[in-house]
């Protein structure tokens, strides 16, 4: 699913709500079968840890760590052995095409490669739903195409992917597109054909 809209349209806010990073202030919200609105922060964090991952707009890699350590860091908070962590990291690195960059320091990587490290970190835990906020926004056309191709392959493997982006052209790869205009939800499969009067 792609959430599409201009800056300030509300797509990042909606994505943060869907990903349980922020809590809803009114109404109710069911996430993966759990009533999530009003959950205490620690319960929201635990639900998020069990079910999802998030790719932020800005790169949040640790410069002092190499590629492997950056991908593994999120797995250290999960109940698994060191051997399982290592296997998950290698699997994720191979999936995004970085198997040969294991020991590279993050600052030595291109912007596109850093984005791929972020995806590898996000999928190493095998989340039910990875959320991505402008996953290709700061990349050149070639890097953006590679990034979206990786997410497309992940989705075709059976994983739901929810993305927020400016470009309707990039969103064309999605099975479902939701357009946002000033917080209003306008849905369409390639066109704006119905306006939902309520706010998301």
């Amino acid at each position: 699913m792609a959430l599409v809209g201009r800056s300030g349209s509300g797509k990042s806010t909606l994505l943060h709500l869907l990903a349980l990073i922020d809590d809803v202030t009114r109404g109710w919200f069911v996430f993966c079968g759990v009533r999530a609105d009003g959950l205490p922060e620690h319960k929201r964090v635990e639900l998020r840890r069990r079910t999802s991952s998030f790719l932020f707009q800005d790169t949040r890699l640790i410069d002092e760590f190499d590629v492997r350590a950056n991908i593994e860091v999120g797995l250290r908070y999960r109940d698994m052995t060191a051997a399982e962590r290592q296997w998950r990291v290698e699997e994720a690195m191979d999936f995004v095409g970085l198997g040969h960059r294991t020991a590279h320091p993050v600052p030595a990587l291109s912007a596109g490669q850093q984005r791929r490290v972020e995806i590898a970190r996000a999928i190493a835990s095998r989340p039910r739903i990875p959320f991505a906020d402008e996953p290709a926004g700061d990349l050149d056309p070639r890097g953006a195409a590679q990034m979206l191709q990786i997410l497309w392959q992940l989705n075709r493997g059976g994983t739901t992917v929810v993305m927020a982006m400016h470009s309707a052209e990039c969103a064309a790869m999605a099975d479902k597109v939701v357009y946002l205009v000033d917080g209003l939800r306008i849905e369409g499969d390639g066109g704006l054909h119905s306006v939902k009067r309520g706010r998301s």
Side-chain angles (χ1 to χ4, degrees):
M1 172 183 283
L3 309 177
V4 181
R6 295 180 178 178
S7 296
S9 63
K11 61 185 184 301
S12 290
T13 298
L14 177 57
L15 197 70
H16 282 216
L17 293 173
L18 294 175
L20 303 175
I21 293 173
D22 296 329
D23 195 10
V24 297
T25 55
R26 61 181 178 178
W28 54 274
F29 175 38
V30 176
F31 182 83
C32 291
V34 177
R35 180 76 181 264
D37 53 285
L39 275 180
E41 174 67 15
H42 71 281
K43 289 188 177 293
R44 204 163 70 241
V45 168
E46 179 57 32
L47 179 58
R48 186 169 69 232
R49 186 176 294 158
R50 293 199 323 263
T51 58
S52 63
S53 61
F54 200 94
L55 279 77
F56 291 90
Q57 285 190 37
D58 54 323
T59 302
R60 299 199 175 187
L61 300 176
I62 303 170
D63 286 348
E64 293 75 21
F65 288 3
D66 62 18
V67 169
R68 177 184 292 279
N70 264 282
I71 297 170
E72 186 182 11
V73 68
L75 300 179
R76 291 184 174 275
Y77 299 97
R78 299 174 185 272
D79 184 21
M80 62 179 66
T81 65
E84 184 177 359
R85 287 200 307 269
Q86 180 177 352
W87 185 79
R88 292 277 193 96
V89 169
E90 290 174 355
E91 179 185 56
M93 289 175 64
D94 286 342
F95 184 82
V96 300
L98 286 174
H100 61 297
R101 298 279 185 175
T102 302
H104 274 61
V106 165
L109 302 177
S110 68
Q113 289 169 335
Q114 289 185 20
R115 278 296 188 185
R116 282 192 272 167
V117 174
E118 287 190 303
I119 290 184
R121 183 171 62 184
I123 66 176
S125 61
R126 297 180 183 168
R128 291 173 64 178
I129 308 176
F131 294 90
D133 195 359
E134 295 288 353
D138 57 350
L139 302 178
D140 60 34
R142 183 171 178 269
Q146 291 174 340
M147 175 66 58
L148 295 174
Q149 180 66 20
I150 290 171
L151 293 174
W152 184 85
Q153 289 175 340
L154 184 64
N155 177 246
R156 289 304 176 261
T159 300
T160 296
V161 179
V162 181
M163 306 177 292
M165 55 183 53
H166 290 92
S167 170
E169 182 180 351
C170 289
M173 64 176 289
D175 296 315
K176 183 173 181 61
V177 179
V178 175
Y179 296 88
L180 293 174
V181 179
D182 295 330
L184 292 173
R185 188 174 81 249
I186 305 174
E187 294 190 59
D189 299 318
L192 308 182
H193 61 71
S194 64
V195 177
K196 306 299 183 181
R197 295 186 180 278
R199 288 186 173 269
S200 297

